[in-house]
Amino acid sequence: QVINDEGCRACHNAHASAEKNLLTRKPEELCVSCHDSGDSSFKKVHGGYPVEKRSCTVCHTPHSSAQDKLLKTSTHDPVASAECGSCHAEPSSANPFATIAKGGELCLECHDTDSLTGGGEVQHEPFASGDCISCHDPHTSIHPRLLVTGGDSLCYTCHEEKQQKVLHPHEPLESEKGCLSCHQVHAALHKGLVNKKDGELCFACHAKTQTAGKKFKNKHAPYEEEKCSTCHNPHGSNVAKILTSRADAVCYSCHLELEGEYQKKAIHDPVQKGNCIACHHGHGADDANFLKEKGTKLCAGCHESFMKKELNETVHSPFEEEECLTCHSPHASNIGGMIVEEQGPLCFSCHDELEDNLKAAKSKHGSVQQGQCTECHNPHKSTLESLLLAPSPDLCLTCHEQVKE
């Protein structure tokens, strides 16, 4: 009524004040300037407690409310019914605002432990220690369930690290339910305050991923065991697919022996960039190595233009038959071109007749003797016969320059 009659200046100064919020006087003095604390109705509605000595805004909102008596939106039942003695000492005692029990013991006088835990044995630390008021206001609140602040911001008061912005946030955290999309508040059946195990919890939303996985002939162990958080961060990540780290770091955390094996002179670009999932499925596949495609279809994903066959080209047999791994290592090699062994032995493993001729010959071409076949031949394709890099004599003159003179 006072706002209707006198407006904002009934309580606030327009320009400046010695009190917070531009109040015209101290809060406890301001309220009783209108509400007579000695009046019998005042005493009755407050259960006889000397509330005039405390801040009225503990229970009341000073401007407007949908609740009677300007009580805040969420009101503890004893407060709403003026039964302050349910929690506090007698109003006539020396310390009337002292509680009749300490911490959580007081709350459990009314709130049943079993109903709060829901059978969960993994308890939230504040709940386990009886520190209920770290999350709940014992009197009133503008937030549901007497929470001291709203939404995820309450969780972030302790779990500040989870508030950090990431490039790829987990969608539930962006939703209205936020943390409560996955977590329980008081207690849960499993570590992390969740009532479902990793896979069961994740597949509740990612049903398509579960369905797709059932078709795999070969499943990745963490996926098959439904240990999603082995590879994924459930709160979000700066890495795509909310991986816990860059793909190779995730893979090497289990396949440690491979990290050193791939540190070689010539490294496949996806391996160099730590992008294992460029070639491998993370959950599983029909292929035993979880490859995304069979044979050179996989290679063509990056090398399609190079692998395209043109008219009038001579094509090396392994290249034509799409057997890339006959010559190349898929991950890394200490030999240029990522080949599986030195050029000479590699080429002679198919062209053994040339090796026999070389052994019997009295005169040997230097490049052939040194096993440098690609100085003259293209190992993939050429418009010239015998996969030559250039026609004669141009090819020969690239090395034998003195013949030009």
Side-chain angles (χ1 to χ4, degrees):
Q1 183 64 40
V2 68
I3 294 179
N4 291 332
D5 293 342
E6 302 180 37
C8 303
R9 295 187 65 181
C11 301
H12 299 280
N13 282 323
H15 299 113
S17 172
E19 301 297 331
K20 290 182 178 180
N21 301 315
L22 292 172
L23 293 178
T24 57
R25 62 180 78 183
K26 293 180 179 180
E28 59 272 19
E29 296 175 0
L30 184 59
C31 296
V32 295
S33 66
C34 292
H35 302 281
D36 184 2
S37 61
D39 188 84
S40 59
S41 61
F42 183 94
K43 292 183 178 294
K44 182 179 180 181
V45 79
H46 292 103
Y49 282 84
V51 293
E52 67 276 7
K53 297 178 181 179
R54 297 297 177 97
S55 173
C56 301
T57 54
V58 167
C59 298
H60 302 279
T61 179
H63 298 111
S64 64
S65 173
Q67 299 274 71
D68 288 339
K69 304 168 187 174
L70 287 177
L71 288 172
K72 294 178 183 177
T73 309
S74 179
T75 305
H76 200 187
D77 284 345
V79 174
S81 57
E83 295 177 357
C84 307
S86 298
C87 302
H88 295 283
E90 291 296 322
S92 58
S93 66
N95 187 4
F97 295 112
T99 54
I100 57 176
K102 293 182 178 180
E105 294 179 8
L106 176 61
C107 301
L108 294 177
E109 292 283 333
C110 296
H111 302 283
D112 179 60
T113 303
D114 291 340
S115 63
L116 292 174
T117 61
E121 294 184 0
V122 179
Q123 296 188 354
H124 195 189
E125 194 281 328
F127 179 80
S129 62
D131 189 17
C132 306
I133 59 173
S134 64
C135 298
H136 300 280
D137 189 294
H139 298 104
T140 64
S141 173
I142 60 172
H143 305 289
R145 293 184 291 277
L146 290 169
L147 295 176
V148 295
T149 188
D152 294 344
S153 59
L154 175 60
C155 304
Y156 295 150
T157 56
C158 292
H159 306 285
E160 187 178 0
E161 74 285 357
K162 298 294 187 290
Q163 192 176 13
Q164 294 178 359
K165 294 292 182 183
V166 292
L167 186 59
H168 302 280
H170 194 190
E171 190 174 333
L173 279 175
E174 302 284 285
S175 71
E176 185 178 351
K177 290 184 69 176
C179 305
L180 300 184
S181 299
C182 300
H183 299 284
Q184 303 300 308
V185 291
H186 295 120
L189 298 175
H190 304 289
K191 184 180 177 181
L193 285 175
V194 293
N195 270 343
K196 298 177 180 178
K197 292 183 178 180
D198 248 21
E200 186 184 359
L201 181 61
C202 298
F203 291 145
C205 292
H206 302 283
K208 290 182 179 179
T209 301
Q210 185 180 30
T211 302
K214 290 178 179 178
K215 300 176 182 178
F216 296 149
K217 291 181 181 178
N218 299 284
K219 297 180 177 66
H220 196 191
Y223 177 84
E224 187 169 31
E225 295 166 8
E226 298 188 355
K227 295 179 179 178
C228 307
S229 57
T230 300
C231 302
H232 300 281
N233 187 326
H235 296 105
S237 170
N238 289 317
V239 184
K241 302 184 187 297
I242 61 172
L243 293 176
T244 56
S245 188
R246 201 173 78 160
D248 60 339
V250 175
C251 299
Y252 293 146
S253 66
C254 291
H255 306 286
L256 186 61
E257 75 285 355
L258 297 179
E259 184 172 13
E261 185 178 329
Y262 299 155
Q263 298 304 308
K264 295 181 178 179
K265 182 178 178 181
I267 304 174
H268 197 191
D269 188 62
V271 178
Q272 182 78 56
K273 293 178 178 177
N275 190 19
C276 307
I277 54 178
C279 300
H280 300 278
H281 277 298
H283 295 136
D286 289 342
D287 181 82
N289 293 316
F290 310 144
L291 293 177
K292 291 184 173 181
E293 292 285 356
K294 290 183 178 180
T296 51
K297 286 185 178 179
L298 181 63
C299 303
C302 294
H303 306 287
E304 184 178 14
S305 59
F306 172 71
M307 296 175 71
K308 187 177 180 180
K309 299 180 179 69
E310 302 292 346
L311 292 173
N312 302 319
E313 280 188 327
T314 301
V315 183
H316 194 194
S317 178
F319 187 73
E320 185 172 33
E321 294 170 7
E322 300 183 344
E323 295 178 354
C324 305
L325 299 185
T326 298
C327 300
H328 297 284
S329 168
H331 297 109
S333 170
N334 282 322
I335 307 168
M338 279 177 53
I339 55 178
V340 295
E341 59 179 327
E342 295 290 349
Q343 280 189 36
L346 177 60
C347 296
F348 291 145
S349 66
C350 291
H351 304 287
D352 51 355
E353 76 287 352
L354 291 179
E355 186 176 25
D356 293 339
N357 292 338
L358 184 64
K359 289 177 181 178
K362 291 183 178 180
S363 177
K364 302 172 183 177
H365 193 189
S367 296
V368 179
Q369 191 170 15
Q370 294 166 18
Q372 296 299 319
C373 307
T374 56
E375 287 190 356
C376 299
H377 302 278
N378 187 309
H380 297 108
K381 56 184 179 177
S382 172
T383 56
L384 302 175
E385 290 185 6
S386 302
L387 294 168
L388 292 175
L389 295 173
S392 179
D394 295 341
L395 178 61
C396 302
L397 293 175
T398 56
C399 292
H400 304 287
E401 295 180 356
Q402 73 280 4
V403 178
K404 293 180 183 179
E405 300 173 354

